[in-house]
Amino acid sequence: MSSGTDPFLRATQHAHEASAFGAFPRVRPRRLRRTAAIRQLVRETHLHAGQFILPLFVRNGKGLRSPIGSMPGVSQTSIDEMLRDAEAAAKAGIGGVLLFGIPDEKDATGSSGWHEHGPVQEAVRAIKREYPELLVITDVCMCEYTDHGHCGVLTKHGEVDNDATLELLSREALSHAEAGADIVAPSDMMDGRIAHMRDTLDASGFEQTPIMSYAVKYASAFYGPFREAAESTPTFGDRRSYQMDPANILEGIKEARLDLAEGADILMVKPAGAYLDVIQAVKRDTGVPLCAYQVSGEFAMIRAAAERGWIDGERAMMESLLSITRAGADMVITYFATEAAAVLNRQQ
Ligand code: PBG
């Protein structure tokens, strides 16, 4: 990209030219840092509650709230309890919730994933009944529903079968749309799933339901605590044959472009904090609405250090979200969503 068309490069170019003309003591950057009022005036990045999305883990039952050990403050809940979290989130003005389901039964094909009365489908209906204004996104994947914990069905050799999985993912996404989901978000990393899902949704009258694609999703150690929360740890092997190699960024741009061509409306980079360069690259390359997922391990690290008094938890939370936004994310999925929104609401 030439600096002529890229506003960020043009700005940095100007900055370099300016420094050739001026220097200390006439130039003093500290003048713009002296007071809170001046710092606010020249601030380049602003957070708002409406950009945060809160993940929720739902299961069947009543009055259930099981805390997740490695994610202090986050729980698996039944739908009645989930509605309390949804209400608090809605009151704080956050942008939406992202639902994950923990089914009662798992099998080789993850068939409970598209059950009309599964936990996600029922949770969508409950939120839409109680808080119709609250945006509901559903995570579409097989790993919570398969007994082997992989994100698709297996071949007889134990590999994840890409093409056979597409139909199942589409069925799951359709059942979420039928329940009333505002957006479906596939997180499986199968090739061609966006096109398949788009066609399936369109054929059933859901051509207006957007797809938020986990387009650039890495095989990351930072998902550790989530697998406890979602009970989705693979029983053998790992996810490296479908999730991306953390070493790659050009491949991420390829994934992003492919998903756009297949009809994705919003792209996602995941994890966020250790992949700020990827967020920036995908945003600059595509220019489309971009989401970043501050994953369970990122959350757990900040929480754990704060609990020990090693860092200021609230400041670290806000700084991490600011940095993800500064890198180029328009929205952030974060377990801090309601808390961070409360901080912003207090500051207003
Ligand atoms: C399901 C899925 C995962 C996460 C979101 N969707 C786990 C994984 O891929 O292993 C991780 C979220 C987190 O760590 O907070 N495929």
Side-chain angles (χ1 to χ4, degrees), residues 195-259:
H196 198 286
M197 205 168 282
R198 188 70 273 162
D199 289 350
T200 302
L201 291 172
D202 290 359
S204 302
F206 293 100
E207 62 284 311
Q208 296 297 335
T209 302
I211 298 178
M212 174 192 271
S213 173
Y214 286 70
V216 189
K217 177 173 176 180
Y218 290 91
S220 173
F222 292 104
Y223 305 151
F226 172 94
R227 294 185 185 166
E228 180 195 344
E231 301 180 8
S232 65
T233 308
T235 51
F236 67 92
D238 55 41
R239 303 208 202 287
R240 284 178 234 213
S241 76
Y242 41 105
Q243 298 180 349
M244 283 178 48
D245 184 338
N248 296 352
I249 183 166
L250 297 175
E251 188 189 1
I253 291 173
K254 175 181 172 182
E255 283 282 6
R257 289 184 185 179
L258 281 172
D259 282 7

Side-chain angles (χ1 to χ4, degrees), residues 111-167:
S111 64
S112 54
W114 56 84
H115 197 289
E116 193 190 338
H117 298 293
V120 167
Q121 290 81 353
E122 290 298 337
V124 172
R125 284 189 201 98
I127 296 176
K128 284 292 148 192
R129 193 172 53 234
E130 302 290 326
Y131 311 105
E133 302 293 303
L134 181 62
L135 183 95
V136 179
I137 308 170
T138 56
D139 184 273
V140 178
C141 195
M142 311 308 309
C143 65
E144 299 110 277
Y145 305 98
T146 51
D147 50 16
H148 45 74
H150 278 287
C151 301
V153 282
L154 304 179
T155 65
K156 58 176 183 292
H157 307 296
E159 276 188 62
V160 174
D161 187 337
N162 191 87
D163 298 14
T165 300
L166 300 182
E167 177 67 37

Side-chain angles (χ1 to χ4, degrees), residues 22-321:
F24 179 82
R26 286 192 188 117
V27 178
R28 287 181 185 270
R30 285 185 57 189
R31 282 186 201 118
L32 297 183
R33 298 181 201 137
R34 266 189 61 234
T35 67
I38 294 178
R39 289 194 294 274
Q40 174 174 279
L41 196 68
V42 300
R43 188 157 297 140
E44 299 173 35
T45 308
H46 298 269
L47 296 177
H48 59 99
Q51 77 183 114
F52 301 140
I53 297 163
L54 178 70
L56 294 170
F57 301 98
V58 286
R59 62 187 319 155
N60 291 329
K62 270 214 150 44
L64 233 152
R65 184 173 286 274
S66 338
I68 295 146
S70 49
M71 300 175 74
V74 180
S75 300
Q76 289 182 352
T77 65
S78 50
I79 290 174
D80 52 342
E81 285 291 318
M82 181 275 298
L83 284 172
R84 294 152 61 117
D85 296 342
E87 182 185 14
K91 282 200 173 137
I94 72 162
V97 294
L98 171 66
L99 299 180
F100 292 94
I102 298 121
D104 292 332
E105 279 166 34
K106 305 187 186 222
D107 62 22
T109 57
S111 64
S112 54
W114 56 84
H115 197 289
E116 193 190 338
H117 298 293
V120 167
Q121 290 81 353
E122 290 298 337
V124 172
R125 284 189 201 98
I127 296 176
K128 284 292 148 192
R129 193 172 53 234
E130 302 290 326
Y131 311 105
E133 302 293 303
L134 181 62
L135 183 95
V136 179
I137 308 170
T138 56
D139 184 273
V140 178
C141 195
M142 311 308 309
C143 65
E144 299 110 277
Y145 305 98
T146 51
D147 50 16
H148 45 74
H150 278 287
C151 301
V153 282
L154 304 179
T155 65
K156 58 176 183 292
H157 307 296
E159 276 188 62
V160 174
D161 187 337
N162 191 87
D163 298 14
T165 300
L166 300 182
E167 177 67 37
L168 310 184
L169 289 165
S170 286
R171 220 183 278 183
E172 183 183 351
L174 180 60
S175 80
H176 293 173
E178 283 169 345
D182 294 299
I183 298 179
V184 291
S187 66
D188 53 282
M189 287 301 278
M190 297 302 116
D191 293 330
R193 94 267 209 207
I194 302 299
H196 198 286
M197 205 168 282
R198 188 70 273 162
D199 289 350
T200 302
L201 291 172
D202 290 359
S204 302
F206 293 100
E207 62 284 311
Q208 296 297 335
T209 302
I211 298 178
M212 174 192 271
S213 173
Y214 286 70
V216 189
K217 177 173 176 180
Y218 290 91
S220 173
F222 292 104
Y223 305 151
F226 172 94
R227 294 185 185 166
E228 180 195 344
E231 301 180 8
S232 65
T233 308
T235 51
F236 67 92
D238 55 41
R239 303 208 202 287
R240 284 178 234 213
S241 76
Y242 41 105
Q243 298 180 349
M244 283 178 48
D245 184 338
N248 296 352
I249 183 166
L250 297 175
E251 188 189 1
I253 291 173
K254 175 181 172 182
E255 283 282 6
R257 289 184 185 179
L258 281 172
D259 282 7
L260 277 183
E262 290 182 27
D265 300 280
I266 300 171
L267 299 176
M268 195 196 303
V269 172
K270 176 184 171 195
Y275 295 84
L276 297 179
D277 56 333
V278 181
I279 292 171
Q280 188 175 63
V282 172
K283 183 65 183 180
R284 286 212 206 158
D285 186 76
T286 64
V288 304
L290 183 62
C291 183
Y293 197 143
Q294 182 179 51
V295 301
S296 55
E298 300 177 65
F299 170 84
M301 290 193 302
I302 293 173
R303 265 283 199 273
E307 278 186 355
R308 287 173 199 197
W310 290 352
I311 56 170
D312 178 331
E314 184 174 303
R315 284 189 57 201
M317 163 178 82
M318 298 313 282
E319 187 176 326
S320 66
L321 294 167

